[in-house]
Amino acid sequence: MSERTFVMVKPDGVGRRLIGECIRRFERRGLKLVGMKMQIISQKLAESHYEEHRARPFFPHLVQFITSGPTVQMVWEGKDAVAQVRKMNGATNSLEAAVGTIRGDFGLSLQNNMIHASDSIETAKREIALYFDQNELLEYAMPDAHWLS
Ligand code: CMP
């Protein structure tokens, strides 16, 4: 079933010039980009985004890291998009991420793992609403949609 997922290229992904690489992979897979923006996120937004990790010891460092530079927010749409993007990003710890995934191909760090993606459809809805207004998300048809169904 077609669904939407939220993806963010983190400050290390931007700093390592991997924005295009991430987009290329999701496009090539057959997913459709329906929203995109770039911003240095505020402390408040970072804390809301990572609310579930508030009690973890790494929370302050995580917020410091995610607000430390530019990030790119995207919404990707397609069949089973949430699970497929998670698979394409690889395990949270880049050292454990399979080769062929974004983290497994470009990283060695747990904290600096270059990219974030929603872990469920419910999380995706929450994260999309956190970063995008409804009118910033586009609805349009792709000519190859019938080959990807
Ligand atoms: P992300 O998928 O964005 O979700 C939460 C983030 O917290 C995760 O990627 C990592 O960047 C970071 N993270 C998760 N676990 C740890 C940890 N044990 N130590 C430091 N950072 C972590």
Side-chain angles (χ1 to χ4, degrees):
M1 206 185 70
S2 185
E3 58 195 35
R4 287 178 170 184
T5 191
F6 173 77
V7 176
M8 175 157 64
V9 182
K10 301 183 185 185
D12 56 328
V14 175
R16 295 187 53 208
R17 306 173 199 270
L18 291 171
I19 303 168
E21 176 67 31
C22 296
I23 291 174
R24 188 181 71 93
R25 288 179 177 225
F26 299 135
E27 270 197 310
R28 205 173 50 171
R29 185 75 194 277
L31 295 166
K32 179 165 79 175
L33 185 60
V34 297
M36 181 161 73
K37 58 174 70 168
M38 184 178 203
Q39 60 185 316
I40 298 176
I41 65 175
S42 68
Q43 171 103 4
K44 188 163 168 272
L45 182 53
E47 288 180 2
S48 310
H49 178 148
Y50 284 123
E51 183 61 42
E52 65 174 304
H53 298 299
R54 193 176 278 278
R56 306 280 196 92
F58 60 82
F59 183 75
H61 194 222
L62 176 58
V63 171
Q64 193 279 325
F65 161 63
I66 208 72
T67 57
S68 67
T71 53
V72 175
Q73 288 72 34
M74 295 181 274
V75 179
W76 287 90
E77 186 180 287
K79 195 198 284 183
D80 201 30
V82 171
Q84 296 311 318
V85 168
R86 292 282 290 190
K87 263 197 225 172
M88 292 172 78
N89 286 358
T92 302
N93 185 345
S94 306
L95 287 178
E96 287 161 15
V99 169
T101 65
I102 292 170
R103 290 165 177 161
D105 285 353
F106 301 110
L108 290 169
S109 169
L110 168 58
Q111 165 98 21
N112 306 327
N113 59 5
M114 298 162 291
I115 190 156
H116 165 86
S118 310
D119 61 7
S120 69
I121 293 178
E122 287 64 41
T123 309
K125 286 188 179 139
R126 186 182 81 80
E127 292 176 347
I128 290 168
L130 204 52
Y131 288 92
F132 289 89
D133 290 333
Q134 195 55 43
N135 65 5
E136 294 174 317
L137 301 171
L138 309 185
E139 292 198 18
Y140 62 99
M142 287 293 268
D144 61 359
H146 62 289
W147 285 308
L148 295 162
S149 64

